[in-house]
């Protein structure tokens, strides 16, 4: 009898069994790595005798989690047993009266429809016109399919809508990327500087753990944040900065280090290029100058700069994660990189280590066909330093009236909920309406599924095989994901979906296996292990081949940059006509009666992905808008009162949000946790709970360097009455 | 043997992992929780202090809930762990009324339930689920009578406080400040 | 500004945002228990004093209500249990530290006693009553012979019952409103007063009513005195105690308490009874009904309000 019979909670027969805790001896562990967020912590899914997953626990040997999963990982069971899950393939139909609905279809029919559409697009427009929005491992399978088909037109929100600027900035400075997990040596640092990072509210597992270690070791923590974040509350220094002025602070710190001679002279002398340019550039960027802009006292700027210098080289100025704020974000990340370079932390213990990953051999397949144009070509020469596809450009390339040279005609979407992750929702809606076909592969009826022509129900990470995880860490390591239970309902793993579509397109050679476990077994054997062994251990570490973690004292080292050195003065930027050293630019401030919208994360949720997960919904079922008591007084807002938000462009949130009156936020800003305000009724728990901050983000400041979408230049005001009753104003 | 727990508020980030882990380990029904996070803010911007506390039953030494139970369902196990024998509980609610920490709840099945310090795990030498999962390692558990146990070492050189000491129940959850 | 809030979504049914585990069943049980205690006490008292003939209602008729009240009270208590099938576990142990346990066993003793008491007067209450079995006839004769001893036992246990209804709450010092030793004597006096009110209501003997009214008046005055001291004690206590008191001094329970419990339940009946003693004509049923309603409201409000008060959050 399969587990399917015991799938739902309400199966009363097993009620009394499910009440008592089950001893670990009666549970079978299956190795996996988590997909609730992108940290991919490896763990064990414990299955009881009746075939039900009871809990997911971290793998002790895994450097991503050290045996401890975060609340999302622990709540992974909620993703599997969510009764709102997509159960069958869905196809959009139109009735005679023009109204539309989704009907359930067989896999045969749904896959045929997708394959036929792909053939059609290839004939009419070329395979490049089929685009992909993806995130995480689900997208990886579809990426392979599309490459085999002839398209490299993919974009991940993670780049232009999140960490793109720092990738480009650090690459131009150090010749290396800040990966994921970031190569920050927090656990051994003496000084952790967080400017634009809210570790503890973002639950980047190993980093939160290392910050906890740093606290135990007595490290100095300096947090720059307009809000008293959790990290700020655990810091020795909290700099309550005025929003949008961070570059001024960073340059003032650089000024102090240079003028007081506190920078790491040997390191800078040996490894960097452009110090003289930098000295000249910052000579007038004094703490007093920065004080007028940032409202941080000059003495505090000096004290914190000195604290960093005295800890150097064991100091981490954290690159941040979501850095798309005001449109000059690559420059701000550059300033941050320069600061790290002056402190000499790159390649040093307690600063940044040299990560290494295991190179997993590719399962043999023919060369991918060369597409005529790729994501690089949409940009039309703009954003020269972009290293990945830009999602907003993919949207614009899908809308004929933007007249892009290369037009995209159809989409696949996997692992990302575009209506809540794309800034400028009207742009997304127009793009979705313009393309001829959208296929969405997802586990839940997320808002994006409402825009699809075909919806394919994917099995969750606990129900499938997947690529071998190999991320760069201190120690190279791999992790196995295998199914703990059979896919529930009629869901299928991503690899199966990709293979089925591929075979319908005649691409059998790219999918030369019957079950993905064959691929994994082959790859593991190439790596000196096997599927059998990995099933028992879950994570395997390998010795480093690229050399030590850190630079030895006075070691000769060539950086992967134009000059072979760390570029304080960026030749890449200069070559493309951008400021080689960052300048401070003033950004617009909120008009009267408006407040800057700042948004962030909560440690128990992953953006909008987990809002319906019953275990995590128990922890937080909706977001609130944080309002300073002075502002609340002014507007007569009470704690718990529901308000609608309206932004500077007249857009109003679809749902109201509760007010939290708190001193933790400044009087010129409000704060919300991102990922709520779902608009799909099929999400029984998440529908209508909280408000979507994305609806308020319509003013996008595009970064000219790599196309990042700066989102923090949006201002909101409060509506205490339901705007639907008034019937006017533009709706989001 | 006296089991106790220390919670380091300097490290707790209020992520709620302890709540979810307890839920999956002990099959706590949705809508109920055996442990929870309290956020405490004080001051005026920007002179502020913020504290996160992971709270649960304090397994008090002088527990009113054990005293007031008419059937003896609420009792003390070895090491001072306070638990409820489901089959002896009549669901009268006296223990719920008597807890100054509101740590108990009425389980949908009828009996009274609360944190058990994962007695079923402690008996096998394992740690409670919340302690084992906490990513910041801010939860310390062990035998107070053993000077080398995790919890004894945690409270040795640190300032700590308990909640509502005026209730006089002698709680065994120490919040390191 | 101080903020203290749950951030892990805690919202346990009947516990948050404030405790609400005990509903109407417990106040009803406390009320009926107090009432029965009052009736049985005075039944026993006047028997011991040898005044059984002068206080017929007190000694013979009113006690009929006692077992009914006790059984109803026990039933209410049973309904309150959430794990009903296991209710018998109550009687498998004696736990001296548990007020609930005290209550269970005290009721176990006094309920049969009240049945026996009423049974012993059956022949007077129901003319031509015949115990069919000779063993019952013998038992009846035995009881009648040792009625005074039984009366003593009944008095003692009724005091225990009356005090217990108050101690039950005050034992839970986790609820600041109940954390006072005044509740025991207060509920005892209140219970006796409601018992007296019942007897006064059903008595047809004016002299009997006069005697009882005098006693009742004294009890009401003691009650008011104790209530005043209750609040004085709270206001002189810790922050949580002051907040508990403030629920009645401007908070949500102000009107219901002072109007229904104090004025209509104590002061007004006292005034009416005094007027009656002075010879004015007052409807017989009015003061007792007001006292009874006031008594129930008092217990209901104390249980509701007490659960709202808490030490933390």
């Amino acid at each position: 009898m399969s587990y399917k019979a015991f799938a739902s909670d309400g199966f009363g027969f097993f009620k009394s069994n499910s009440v008592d805790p089950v001893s670990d001896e009666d549970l079978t562990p299956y190795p996996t790595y988590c997909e609730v967020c992108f940290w991919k912590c490896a763990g064990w899914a414990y299955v009881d005798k009746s075939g039900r997953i009871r809990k997911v626990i971290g793998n002790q040997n895994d450097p991503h989690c050290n045996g401890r999963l975060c609340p999302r990982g622990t709540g992974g069971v909620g993703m599997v047993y969510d009764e709102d899950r997509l159960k069958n393939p869905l196809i959009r139909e139109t009735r005679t009266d023009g109204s539309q609905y989704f009907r359930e279809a067989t896999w045969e029919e749904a896959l045929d429809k997708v394959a036929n559409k792909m053939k059609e697009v290839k004939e009419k427009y070329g395979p490049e016109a089929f685009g992909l929005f993806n995130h995480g491992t689900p997208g990886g399978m579809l990426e392979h399919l599309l490459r085999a088909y002839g398209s490299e037109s993919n974009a991940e929100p993670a780049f232009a809508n999140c960490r793109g600027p720092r990738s480009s900035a650090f690459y131009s400075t150090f010749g290396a990327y800040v990966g994921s997990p970031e190569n920050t040596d927090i656990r051994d640092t003496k000084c952790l500087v967080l400017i634009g990072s809210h570790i503890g509210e973002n639950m980047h597992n190993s980093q939160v753990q290392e910050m906890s270690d740093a606290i135990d070791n007595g490290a100095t923590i300096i947090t720059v944040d307009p809000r008293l974040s959790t990290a700020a509350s655990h810091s020795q220094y909290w700099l309550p900065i005025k929003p949008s002025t961070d570059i001024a602070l960073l340059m003032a710190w650089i000024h102090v280090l240079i003028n007081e001679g506190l920078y790491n002279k040997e390191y800078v002398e040996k490894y960097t290029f452009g110090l003289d340019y930098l000295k000249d550039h910052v000579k007038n960027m004094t703490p007093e100058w920065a004080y007028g802009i940032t409202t941080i006292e000059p003495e505090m700027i000096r004290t914190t700069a000195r604290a960093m210098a005295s800890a150097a080289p064991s100091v981490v100025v954290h690159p941040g994660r979501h850095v798309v704020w005001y449109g000059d974000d690559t420059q701000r990340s550059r300033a941050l990189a320069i600061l790290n370079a002056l402190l000499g932390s790159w390649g040093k213990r307690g600063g940044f280590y040299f990560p290494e990953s295991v190179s997993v051999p590719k399962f043999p397949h023919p060369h991918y066909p060369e597409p005529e144009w790729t994501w690089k070509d949409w940009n039309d020469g703009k954003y020269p330093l972009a290293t990945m596809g830009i999602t907003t450009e993919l949207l614009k390339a899908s809308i004929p009236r933007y007249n892009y040279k290369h037009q995209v005609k159809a989409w696949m979407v996997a692992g990302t909920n575009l209506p809540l992750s794309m800034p400028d929702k009207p742009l997304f809606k127009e793009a979705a309406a313009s393309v001829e076909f959208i296929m969405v592969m997802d586990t839940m009826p997320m808002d994006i599924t409402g825009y699809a022509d075909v919806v394919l129900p994917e099995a969750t990470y606990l129900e499938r095989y997947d690529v071998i995880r190999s991320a760069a860490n201190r120690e190279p390591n791999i992790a196995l994901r295998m199914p703990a239970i059979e896919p529930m309902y009629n869901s299928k793993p991503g690899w199966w979906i990709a293979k089925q579509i591929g075979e319908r397109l005649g691409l059998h050679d790219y999918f030369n296996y019957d079950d993905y476990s064959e691929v994994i077994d082959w790859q593991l054997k190439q790596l000196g292990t096997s599927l059998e062994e990995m099933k028992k251990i879950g994570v395997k570490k390998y010795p480093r081949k690229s050399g030590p973690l850190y630079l030895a004292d006075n070691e000769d080292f060539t950086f992967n940059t134009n000059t072979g050195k760390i570029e304080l003065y960026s030749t890449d930027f200069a070559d493309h006509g951008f400021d080689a050293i960052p300048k401070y630019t003033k950004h617009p401030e909120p008009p009267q009666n408006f407040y800057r919208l700042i948004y962030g994360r909560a440690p128990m949720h992953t953006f909008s992905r987990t809002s319906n997960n019953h275990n995590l919904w128990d922890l937080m079922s909706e977001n609130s808008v944080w309002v300073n008591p002075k502002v609340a007084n002014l507007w007569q807002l009470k704690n718990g009162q529901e308000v609608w938000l309206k932004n500077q462009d007249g857009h109003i949130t679809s749902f109201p949000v509760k007010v939290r009156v708190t001193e933790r936020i400044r009087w010129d800003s409000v704060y919300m946790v991102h990922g709520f305000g779902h608009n799909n009724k099929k999400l029984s728990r998440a529908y209508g709970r909280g408000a979507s901050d994305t609806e308020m983000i319509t003013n996008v400041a595009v970064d000219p360097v790599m196309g990042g979408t700066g989102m923090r230049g949006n201002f909101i005001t409060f509506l205490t009455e339901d705007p639907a009753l008034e019937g006017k104003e533009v709706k989001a | 043997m006296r089991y106790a727990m220390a919670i380091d508020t300097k490290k707790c980030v209020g992520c709620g992992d302890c709540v979810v882990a307890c839920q999956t380990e002990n099959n706590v029904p949705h809508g109920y929780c055996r442990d929870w996070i309290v956020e405490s803010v004080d001051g005026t911007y920007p002179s502020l202090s913020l504290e996160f506390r992971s709270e649960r039953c304090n397994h008090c030494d002088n527990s009113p809930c054990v005293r007031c139970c008419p059937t003896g369902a609420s009792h003390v196990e070895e090491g001072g762990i306070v638990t409820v024998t489901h089959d002896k509980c009549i669901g009268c609610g006296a223990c719920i009324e008597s807890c100054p920490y509101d740590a108990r709840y009425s389980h949908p099945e009828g009996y009274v339930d609360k944190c058990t310090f994962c007695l079923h795990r402690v008996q096998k030498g394992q740690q409670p689920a919340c302690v084992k999962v906490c990513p910041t390692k801010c939860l310390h558990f062990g035998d107070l009578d053993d000077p080398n146990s995790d919890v004894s070492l945690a409270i040795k050189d640190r300032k700590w406080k308990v909640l509502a000491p005026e209730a006089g129940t002698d709680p065994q959850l120490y919040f390191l400040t | 500004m101080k903020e203290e809030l749950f951030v892990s979504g805690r919202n346990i049914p009947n516990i948050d945002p404030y405790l609400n585990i005990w509903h109407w069943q417990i106040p009803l049980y406390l009320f009926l228990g107090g009432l029965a205690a009052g009736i049985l006490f005075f039944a026993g008292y006047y028997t011991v004093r040898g005044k059984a003939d002068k206080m017929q209602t007190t000694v013979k008729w009113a006690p009929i209500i006692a077992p009914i009240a006790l059984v109803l009270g026990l039933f209410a208590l049973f309904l309150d249990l959430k794990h009903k099938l296991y209710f018998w576990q109550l009687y498998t142990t004696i736990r001296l530290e548990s007020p609930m346990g005290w209550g269970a066993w005290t009721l176990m003793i006094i309920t049969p006693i009240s049945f026996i008491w009423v049974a012993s007067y059956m022949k007077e209450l129901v003319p031509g009553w015949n115990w069919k079995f000779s063993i019952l006839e013998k038992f009846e004769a035995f009881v009648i012979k040792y009625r005074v001893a039984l009366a003593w036992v009944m008095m003692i246990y009724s005091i225990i019952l009356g005090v217990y209804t108050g101690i039950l709450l005050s034992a839970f010092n986790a609820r600041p409103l109940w954390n006072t030793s005044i509740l025991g004597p207060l509920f005892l006096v209140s219970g006796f007063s409601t018992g007296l009110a019942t007897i006064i209501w059903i008595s047809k003997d004016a002299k009997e009513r006069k005697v009882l009214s005098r006693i009742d008046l004294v009890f009401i005055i003691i009650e008011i005195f104790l209530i005043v001291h209750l609040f004085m004690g709270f206001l002189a206590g810790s922050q949580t105690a002051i907040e508990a008191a403030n629920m009645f001094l401007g908070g949500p329970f102000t009107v219901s308490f002072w109007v229904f419990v104090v004025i209509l339940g104590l002061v007004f009946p006292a005034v009416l009874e005094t007027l009656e003693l002075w010879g004015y004509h007052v409807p017989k049923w009015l003061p007792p009904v007001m006292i009874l309603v006031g008594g129930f409201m008092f217990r209901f409000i104390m249980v509701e309000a007490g659960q709202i008060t808490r030490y933390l959050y």
Side-chain angles (χ1 to χ4, degrees), chain C residues 89-100:
Chain C
Q89 291 274 14
L90 260 179
Y91 298 106
T92 56
T93 54
I94 295 182
R95 295 184 58 88
L96 291 172
E97 288 187 302
S98 162
M100 273 268 176

Side-chain angles (χ1 to χ4, degrees), chain A residues 322-568:
Chain A
H322 180 95
V323 289
V324 285
W325 303 350
Y326 306 107
D328 57 356
D329 312 296
T330 322
Q331 293 291 359
R332 188 186 65 253
S333 297
R334 271 271 303 145
L336 210 151
I338 292 171
L339 186 56
N340 273 309
L342 286 181
L343 292 164
S345 60
W346 189 268
K348 292 292 184 181
R349 177 178 292 275
F352 294 80
Y353 58 82
F354 292 131
E356 186 184 319
S357 62
V358 174
S359 181
V360 180
K362 297 249 179 295
F363 193 76
H365 60 74
H367 276 298
Y368 292 128
E370 200 64 41
E372 279 178 24
W373 50 270
T374 71
W375 56 264
K376 295 190 185 81
D377 301 293
W378 300 318
N379 305 346
D380 234 358
K382 294 180 285 181
Y383 322 125
L385 295 178
T387 52
M388 287 174 77
I390 297 170
T391 40
T392 26
E393 291 301 305
L394 177 50
L395 288 177
K396 289 186 185 145
S398 308
I399 304 175
R401 76 172 171 90
Y402 275 89
N403 240 323
Y404 273 43
K405 183 158 150 229
H406 302 289
Q407 300 266 316
V408 170
K409 294 295 179 188
W411 295 348
M412 283 193 187
V413 185
T416 170
N417 191 13
L418 295 177
L420 266 71
S421 54
M422 290 291 102
D424 196 0
K425 198 165 167 189
L427 174 69
F428 159 75
K429 282 174 116 156
E430 198 187 341
S434 306
V435 288
E436 293 180 11
F437 183 79
I438 301 179
M439 176 200 108
V440 172
M441 181 173 86
D442 208 316
T443 58
M444 294 290 298
M446 282 289 157
D447 311 62
I448 181 66
T449 57
Y451 293 84
D453 293 291
V454 175
V455 179
L456 299 179
E458 194 198 5
T460 64
Y461 68 102
L462 290 166
E463 299 161 323
R464 63 187 201 233
Y465 277 104
D466 234 322
V467 294
I468 295 170
R469 182 202 82 186
S470 174
N473 275 288
R474 292 183 180 89
E475 286 169 285
N477 63 87
I478 54 169
L480 170 72
R481 174 182 286 166
M482 70 170 290
I485 57 173
E486 286 291 303
M488 286 180 72
Y489 312 114
N490 201 3
S491 65
K492 296 282 183 206
W495 66 261
W496 183 92
I497 294 175
K499 180 171 152 70
Q500 288 286 314
I501 299 175
E503 289 180 341
R504 284 167 168 77
L505 296 172
L507 300 169
H508 301 72
D509 293 333
Y510 291 90
F511 300 95
N512 214 347
Y513 45 86
D514 290 318
D515 188 284
Y516 203 73
S517 55
E518 293 166 39
V519 174
I520 299 176
D521 197 25
W522 181 89
Q523 291 176 314
L524 290 172
K525 293 219 168 70
Q526 308 289 311
L527 292 171
T529 173
S530 69
L531 191 52
E532 280 310 298
E533 189 193 351
M534 287 304 285
K535 279 185 182 179
K536 294 199 193 82
I537 58 175
V539 169
K540 188 175 171 77
K541 289 190 178 140
Y542 288 83
R544 286 177 69 97
K545 288 197 275 227
S546 66
L549 273 175
Y550 309 109
L551 283 172
D553 279 336
N554 236 335
E555 177 187 332
D556 286 329
F557 191 89
T558 315
F559 292 85
N560 187 15
T561 57
N562 293 340
T563 52
K565 295 197 176 224
I566 298 175
E567 299 201 350
L568 303 173

Side-chain angles (χ1 to χ4, degrees), chain A residues 126-139:
Chain A
E128 302 83 0
F130 218 110
L132 168 68
F133 289 93
N134 65 315
H135 184 92
T137 51

